[in-house]
Amino acid sequence: MSTDEKYMQRCLQLAKLGNGYVAPNPMVGAVLVYNHNIIGEGFHEKYGSAHAEVNCINSVSEINKNKIPFSTLYVSLEPCNHFGKTPPCTSLIVKHKIKKVVIGCTDTFNLVNGSGISFLKENGVEVVVNVFQHECETLNKNFFTFHQKKRPYIILKYAQSTNNKIASHKSERTFISNYFSNNLVHRWRSEEAAILVGTTTALKDNPALTNRLGYGNNPVRLVIDKHLQIPTHYNLLDNSTKTIIFNFLKDDVKQNTFFVKLNMHENVIHQIVQFCTKNNLISILVEGGTNLLQSFINQYLWDEARVITNNTLFIEDGVDAPNFNGQILNKISLLHDTITFYTPQ
């Protein structure tokens, strides 16, 4: 591993600390190195707050501040070059007379997209680009997908028995995944902007769809309830966190619950995706039943699938899991559960 890769790896470690807190912004980490010693570190901690470069430079101790102009700044994503909720980081770098910046990958967001690199070069800064490029791009796959495809990054998630059933036909809820898998699912919820279920899942399982078993924010709850069948005492209508109810009957707001009327003559999934795009919800975790999951699959609207298989459970009379063609990215085991990660073929 080269010196640049070593410090970029540290940038990635720092960037991940912002997971679940910075969306719709990307996760970014920064390290300031003087004579092979780290004198400053920082990451983007929360949406609307200081960027990684600012936190990194501000972390330098008083005794080391005179070393800043002679240091190399490592940052996992191209520094911003525009005024948003914070001033441009490129101006801060030039202000501190930092002579060299090593960047993990360029920022394809249209207000940056190479302009940060150009500004630094125009102001005499030596710039090295694309160190651990794949890793840096993968870290912010939600962000890049949102800006490149103009839609959220969509993750399909479900649990199934060893014979590929996601539920029993009986009225009671079927519990498939184990405690450790459930903990992981709750962590996934904290990492995504929104979580979506359909009417059948809402009525049968009465889910809360919150991150109760881990740290981080709750996702925005998205519910398809075309004819407003969900009883008002159910968890999804408890106003505990922001919830969007997509329906055919009304637009309305009740505390944290927002009713959004859809056009019944247009594609429901497309309308939901467009709503999320317009409202900066850059990723959706789809936790619905087979019909909802299959709708996304059939319309080629998915980027990743996470399938939890209970290898000891056989459901005699059950609901078939969705059908899709995917390329296996990874597999992990948690006791008797196997979690398989797919991308589209």
Side-chain angles (χ1 to χ4, degrees), residues 20-54:
Y21 298 98
V22 302
N25 284 353
M27 293 174 278
V28 185
V31 173
L32 195 64
V33 178
Y34 172 78
N35 197 22
H36 302 291
N37 290 306
I38 294 176
I39 63 170
E41 291 187 335
F43 66 97
H44 185 30
E45 299 176 11
K46 185 179 180 181
Y47 176 66
S49 67
H51 287 186
E53 299 92 329
V54 177

Side-chain angles (χ1 to χ4, degrees), residues 78-83 87-91 111-112 115-120:
E78 177 184 2
C80 65
N81 193 43
H82 65 284
F83 282 89
C89 292
T90 51
S91 297
L111 292 179
V112 186
S115 67
I117 294 169
S118 297
F119 180 87
L120 292 174

Side-chain angles (χ1 to χ4, degrees), residues 160-180:
Q160 63 179 7
S161 64
T162 189
N163 61 327
N164 305 116
K165 307 294 182 182
I166 69 166
S168 168
H169 281 301
K170 298 176 182 177
S171 58
E172 66 271 12
R173 182 177 182 179
T174 307
F175 292 92
I176 295 177
S177 52
N178 64 43
Y179 173 81
F180 299 100

Side-chain angles (χ1 to χ4, degrees), residues 155-160 164-168 173-174 176 195-207 209 222-224 236 269 285-298 306 318-324:
I155 302 167
L156 311 180
K157 171 264 166 185
Y158 63 91
Q160 63 179 7
N164 305 116
K165 307 294 182 182
I166 69 166
S168 168
R173 182 177 182 179
T174 307
I176 295 177
I195 183 169
L196 173 67
V197 296
T199 311
T200 302
T201 297
L203 291 174
K204 185 173 182 179
D205 296 349
N206 188 20
L209 302 185
L222 308 177
V223 187
I224 301 173
L236 289 171
I269 300 300
L285 181 63
V286 183
E287 280 202 21
T290 295
N291 288 340
L292 180 60
L293 292 162
Q294 198 68 55
S295 294
F296 278 89
I297 293 165
N298 292 347
R306 301 171 183 177
V319 180
D320 289 334
N323 182 32
F324 69 93

Side-chain angles (χ1 to χ4, degrees), residues 55-66:
N55 289 330
C56 176
I57 291 171
N58 287 345
S59 75
V60 178
S61 65
E62 198 64 39
I63 198 171
N64 283 326
K65 286 194 183 299
N66 63 327

